[in-house]
Amino acid sequence: MIDFTPLANKTKKLSEIAAGASIDELRATATESIDTILGLIEGCTDADVTFVPVDPEANDTFAASSEDTSIAWTLGHVIVHALASSEEGIFLAAELARGVEFHGRSRSEVPWESVTTIAQCRQYLEQSRRMRLASLELWPDEPHYETKRTVEFLPDDLDARGQYLLGLLHEKSHLGQIAEIVRQAKAARGA
């Protein structure tokens, strides 16, 4: 598993962490991320997936409509959002690895309102695991690590390894949110 602590401590950039990463480490990090989420939702029921938690900090500046800006996210919502971010990162990484210049986002997100069962959450997690691991098979034997994209909000220039990790890093930022939703949902149903 790749350690993101130096990034959090602001002692290294993501590009520096990614520079020494092997394909096996990327694979292990992606797998561990899925396993972590599966562990967090262990014992959840369908009711937990659609439970609306209390979230006074809810503020989605990218919401599709203004009335959705301050809604608290359900477990299903957070999971499909986090997976979509990771998957976007891995597909962009495959292009960078092949020497294709960054040409914009590559995002597809399941409508969160359609996710109402724990079985769906687990299915989407396993589907994402399969896509993450398969995407690494798209990389050439000698990836084009000189092909990079600039990520202004970091700020950093990322090669394929850094791009792959960027989505996983975003997913990791939602782990506490997932744990809190599960805690509130289980408490609400007396579990």
Side-chain angles (χ1 to χ4, degrees):
M1 172 78 174
I2 293 172
D3 181 14
F4 292 110
T5 306
L7 182 65
N9 293 341
K10 298 184 180 179
T11 58
K12 283 189 177 180
K13 290 183 170 188
L14 183 57
S15 59
E16 294 170 315
I17 293 169
S22 69
I23 299 295
D24 286 340
E25 288 172 312
L26 296 175
R27 188 178 290 115
T29 302
T31 297
E32 184 175 43
S33 190
I34 293 291
D35 290 344
T36 298
I37 296 172
L38 286 167
L40 288 172
I41 65 171
E42 183 69 31
C44 284
T45 66
D46 292 348
D48 299 332
V49 174
T50 57
F51 171 81
V52 179
V54 174
D55 186 358
E57 296 179 25
N59 182 25
D60 182 4
T61 57
F62 297 104
S65 64
S66 59
E67 53 268 1
D68 289 345
T69 303
S70 60
I71 63 167
W73 287 11
T74 64
L75 182 59
H77 191 160
V78 176
I79 287 174
V80 297
H81 169 80
L83 295 178
S85 296
S86 289
E87 292 161 11
E88 177 178 18
I90 66 162
F91 284 103
L92 290 172
E95 289 196 344
L96 291 173
R98 294 173 41 242
V100 177
E101 295 290 333
F102 178 73
H103 53 82
R105 298 190 71 182
S106 180
R107 188 173 185 87
S108 175
E109 188 168 330
V110 172
W112 65 269
E113 301 90 345
S114 70
V115 181
T116 59
T117 70
I118 196 65
Q120 284 178 295
C121 291
R122 289 188 184 109
Q123 183 264 321
Y124 285 127
L125 284 157
E126 291 301 342
Q127 173 181 280
S128 188
R129 180 196 312 266
R130 187 183 76 245
M131 288 191 295
R132 293 167 193 214
L133 300 179
S135 76
L136 291 169
E137 298 301 320
L138 298 172
W139 291 32
D141 293 339
E142 294 182 22
H144 293 266
Y145 293 138
E146 74 283 356
T147 306
K148 298 180 180 182
R149 72 165 285 211
T150 300
V151 181
E152 291 81 11
F153 65 84
L154 286 178
D156 205 350
D157 292 327
L158 302 179
D159 66 12
R161 296 165 295 190
Q163 180 62 53
Y164 192 94
L165 292 174
L166 181 61
L168 296 175
L169 182 63
H170 178 82
E171 185 171 276
K172 182 179 169 84
S173 76
H174 285 288
L175 295 180
Q177 184 181 17
I178 292 170
E180 178 57 17
I181 293 167
V182 169
R183 185 197 68 75
Q184 286 186 36
K186 287 182 176 182
R189 65 178 167 86

